[in-house]
Structure formats: C-alpha cells, structure tokens
C-alpha cells in the first residue's frame, strides 16, 4: 500500500508499506517521527563533510606524502588516512611515536584501505611491523608499504 507521509522535517514522501493494516499504522506513525529520505541523505553528507574538514584541520600540520594506487583507491585511502591520523593525533596516549611516524610514511593506498577498521593501537602495531632494522633492510626488498625515504 502506498501512503503519503509527512515527515518530522515537514517534507512529504510516498512510502510503500507492506504487511498487515495494523503494521501499516505503526510504520506510518513511526515514519512521521523520522526525516524524509532527502533530508536524511543531506544530513549524512553534511556530517561526513564536517568530519572530513575536522580531520583535515587536525592533520594540516603533517607533511604527508602522496598515496599510490588506482585513482579510486587513492581517493578512498586519502579520507581513510585523514580520519585515522586525526584520531591518532587526538590520542597522544596511543603510544608508539615511531610507529606513528611510520604511519605518516605509508603511501600504499591499499594499506590504508585494508587496515581502515583496525583499532588505533593495532594500526600502529601494523605500521610498526613495517619497520626493519637498517642492517636487515639492506638484505631485504623494502617493504612495499613504506615510502622510499624510510
Ligand atoms: Zn525532509
């Protein structure tokens, strides 16, 4: 059944309600307490943009190398890196300064995407595991996740 619902934001939207009549009423009542779809999307986008600009401000003082990967990976990893580094900057107790600096040198977009959901300490530990003592590094190929300067 299609029903016009006036949402909490004041906009009308047509909803297709399924199930029994009693469920329609409950669903319709609940829908009136929510925002319409376009307000919901706008709000979400605004929140994301706010978060992104907060992240970028938090890491503005860091001199970050360009990421490498496909265009899509780089775009995604850039925002992942910004939010993860902003969180680390915010949490000085996350500890390991060396690992944090290693994080700054990681240019592999895929690394940031693969590890985007790790807790801060795990992210640092993973970054830290890319650190090789100079003597060993000479014998091994440089870890692919590290910027050449490392
Ligand atoms: Zn609306």
């Amino acid at each position: 059944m299609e029903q016009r619902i006036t949402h909490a934001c004041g906009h009308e939207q047509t909803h297709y309600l399924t199930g029994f009549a009693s469920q329609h009423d409950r669903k319709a009542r609940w829908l009136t307490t929510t925002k319409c779809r376009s307000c919901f999307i706008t709000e979400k986008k605004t929140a994301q943009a706010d978060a992104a600009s907060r992240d970028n401000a938090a890491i503005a003082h860091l001199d970050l190398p360009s990421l490498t990967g496909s265009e899509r990976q780089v775009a995604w990893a850039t925002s992942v890196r910004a939010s993860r580094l902003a969180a680390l900057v915010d949490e000085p107790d996350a500890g390991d300064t060396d690992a944090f600096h290693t994080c700054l040198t990681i240019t592999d977009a895929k690394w940031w995407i693969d590890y985007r959901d790790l807790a801060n300490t795990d992210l640092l530990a993973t970054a830290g595991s890319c650190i090789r003592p100079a003597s060993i590094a000479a014998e091994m190929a440089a870890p692919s996740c590290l910027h050449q300067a490392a």
Side-chain angles (χ1 to χ4, degrees), residues 7-13 34-40:
H7 284 273
C9 55
H11 299 129
E12 274 195 17
Q13 189 187 327
T34 65
K35 292 191 165 70
C36 76
R37 182 164 175 75
S38 84
C39 282
F40 176 78

Side-chain angles (χ1 to χ4, degrees), residues 6-26:
T6 305
H7 284 273
C9 55
H11 299 129
E12 274 195 17
Q13 189 187 327
T14 302
H15 290 268
Y16 185 73
L17 302 176
T18 55
F20 298 112
S22 61
Q23 293 173 320
H24 292 173
D25 290 348
R26 207 176 320 135

Side-chain angles (χ1 to χ4, degrees), residues 58-123:
I59 61 165
H61 62 290
L62 302 172
D63 186 20
L64 296 171
S66 300
L67 294 172
T68 57
S70 72
E71 201 175 317
R72 192 168 163 275
Q73 283 176 327
V74 168
W76 186 7
T78 299
S79 73
V80 169
R81 180 172 68 171
S83 85
R84 296 315 308 258
L85 291 180
L88 290 171
V89 167
D90 263 1
E91 191 186 343
D93 293 343
D96 200 330
T97 315
D98 285 345
F100 177 71
H101 284 107
T102 303
C103 271
L104 301 183
T105 65
I106 294 173
T107 56
D108 182 8
K110 197 171 171 301
W111 188 90
W112 288 101
I113 292 166
D114 285 350
Y115 298 125
R116 68 187 180 282
D117 292 325
L118 288 186
N120 283 349
T121 48
D122 293 339
L123 188 72

